[in-house]
Amino acid sequence: MATVVTDPAATGTTGDRVAAWMTRRLGSMVTVYLTVGLSAVWMVLGARAVFGFDPYPYPVLLFVGNVVQLLLIFVILVGQRTLSESGERRAQQTYDDAQAILGECHRLQSLIDDRARLLNRGAEAGRELDPCDTAPIMISPPAAVEPATSTVNRRIAAWLVQRLGSTAAVVVTTVIIIGWMGLALVGVIPDPYPFPFLLFCSSLAQLLFMFVIMVGQDVLGEVSERRVAETANHTAVVLQQCRHLRQHLLAQDSLLDAVVDQAVRAGEVERAGAPAPRAHVERPEDVGSGSR
C-alpha cells in the first residue's frame, strides 16, 4: 500500500515553513514590479534636488539591497529545499510503486501460466496455450540509466549547497551582519557607515555563492533526473507487461470457449444416443391383483 506523501512545507520546522512561504511569495512578477518601483521612487526622492537623504550613487540603497540579496540567497536555498522535498519523496514513492506493480505483474503471469496448464488438459491437439514467458511478445527489463558522474569539485559544491540551504545558515548570516554593523558603529571595527568593507565582502560572497549554487543544484538535480528516468523505464515495462498478460487472457478465453463448446456437444451427443425409456405395460396378473 502506497504511503501518503505529506508536504514538508507544512510539516517541517518553523524556519523551513517561513522560508517556503517567502519563496512562494517572492517568486512572482509582482515582486519584480515592486522592487523596480521602490528602487525608482527611492532614487528620485533621495536625489539632492528633492529630499537629498540618499544622493547618487545612493549608498543607502546599495547597502540595503546588498544585505537583502545576501540574506535572500540563503532564504531561497532553504525554501527551495523545503518545497522540493515533497517532489523528491513523491518521485521516490512513484519509483517504488512502479517496481511493486511490476512484481505483481510477474505474480499474475505465474497464475495465468497455472490456468493455461489446466486448460491445456482439455484442449484439442494443436490448440495448447504457450506459457507467458515464451509468448511472441517478450518482456524486456527496464533500460539501464547511466550512472551520475561526480568529481571532487562537484561533491564539494553539493555539500556547500546542502549546508547553505539551512535555517542555521540564515540565522548565522543575519547575526554576523547585525553584529558587524553594531561593532562598526561603536568603533570596534574600522568600517564606518555605509560599511564599505561589509558591502565588499557581501558582494564577493554573493558572486561566489551564485556559481556554487548553480553547480550544486545541478549535482543534486542529477539524482532526481535519474530516478525519473528509471521510473519512466519501469512504467514502460509495466505497460508492456499488462498488454502481454491481456493477450494471454484473451487466448485463454478463446480456448475456454472451445473447451466449453466441446463439453456441451459431448453432452448433447450422449443424451441423443441414450436408449429411450421403456413404456410400462400392464400385465393381466397385475390387473387381476389390483382388482382383488
Side-chain angles (χ1 to χ4, degrees):
M1 181 177 178
T3 58
V4 179
V5 181
T6 57
D7 185 3
T11 59
T13 63
T14 303
D16 291 341
R17 291 194 295 270
V18 171
W21 181 86
M22 293 182 64
T23 302
R24 286 194 181 106
R25 297 302 181 274
L26 296 176
S28 65
M29 288 304 297
V30 176
T31 306
V32 178
Y33 300 146
L34 289 176
T35 303
V36 173
L38 290 176
S39 300
V41 171
W42 183 289
M43 289 186 292
V44 171
L45 298 180
R48 289 187 177 88
V50 185
F51 293 104
F53 62 86
D54 190 25
Y56 179 84
Y58 315 108
V60 179
L61 179 60
L62 292 177
F63 170 74
V64 174
N66 199 285
V67 173
V68 170
Q69 292 173 46
L70 181 61
L71 293 177
L72 283 180
I73 286 179
F74 300 102
V75 172
I76 292 173
L77 280 174
V78 177
Q80 290 291 351
R81 174 185 57 79
T82 304
L83 295 176
S84 64
E85 284 182 356
S86 179
E88 290 288 335
R89 295 178 183 177
R90 190 174 295 111
Q92 182 64 48
Q93 186 63 55
T94 303
Y95 175 77
D96 295 337
D97 290 344
Q99 286 187 314
I101 293 172
L102 187 58
E104 292 296 330
C105 288
H106 288 309
R107 283 186 282 273
L108 183 58
Q109 176 177 312
S110 299
L111 292 176
I112 292 176
D113 283 338
D114 294 338
R115 301 300 182 272
R117 283 190 290 270
L118 291 176
L119 290 173
N120 286 339
R121 295 170 58 183
E124 297 177 355
R127 295 202 60 179
E128 293 84 357
L129 295 172
D130 294 329
C132 282
D133 55 353
T134 59
I137 300 179
M138 301 300 295
I139 301 302
S140 58
V145 179
E146 291 294 332
T149 57
S150 179
T151 62
V152 176
N153 293 330
R154 292 172 66 83
R155 288 196 295 270
I156 292 175
W159 181 85
L160 288 174
V161 170
Q162 290 176 333
R163 295 300 179 273
L164 295 176
S166 63
T167 308
V170 180
V171 174
V172 170
T173 304
T174 305
V175 170
I176 290 176
I177 292 175
I178 295 176
W180 185 288
M181 290 189 296
L183 294 177
L185 290 175
V186 299
V188 176
I189 297 178
D191 189 24
Y193 178 82
F195 317 110
F197 189 70
L198 176 61
L199 294 180
F200 167 76
C201 294
S202 176
S203 299
L204 183 61
Q206 293 177 52
L207 179 63
L208 296 177
F209 287 160
M210 286 298 179
F211 297 107
V212 171
I213 290 172
M214 286 189 288
V215 178
Q217 292 288 8
D218 180 61
V219 175
L220 296 177
E222 286 183 357
V223 179
S224 298
E225 292 176 0
R226 293 180 69 251
R227 188 181 299 114
V228 169
E230 291 173 351
T231 303
N233 292 336
H234 279 80
T235 303
V237 173
V238 169
L239 178 59
Q240 187 182 13
Q241 179 77 308
C242 290
R243 291 173 175 171
H244 174 60
L245 297 178
R246 179 177 177 272
Q247 181 191 32
H248 274 271
L249 289 174
L250 292 175
Q252 287 189 4
D253 288 343
S254 177
L255 179 58
L256 186 59
D257 289 339
V259 172
V260 172
D261 291 340
Q262 181 181 358
V264 170
R265 287 195 302 269
E268 292 176 349
V269 170
E270 182 179 357
R271 287 193 298 271
R278 291 181 299 175
H280 180 68
V281 179
E282 293 184 351
R283 293 176 297 176
E285 56 269 22
D286 292 337
V287 174
S289 62
S291 61
R292 288 197 298 266

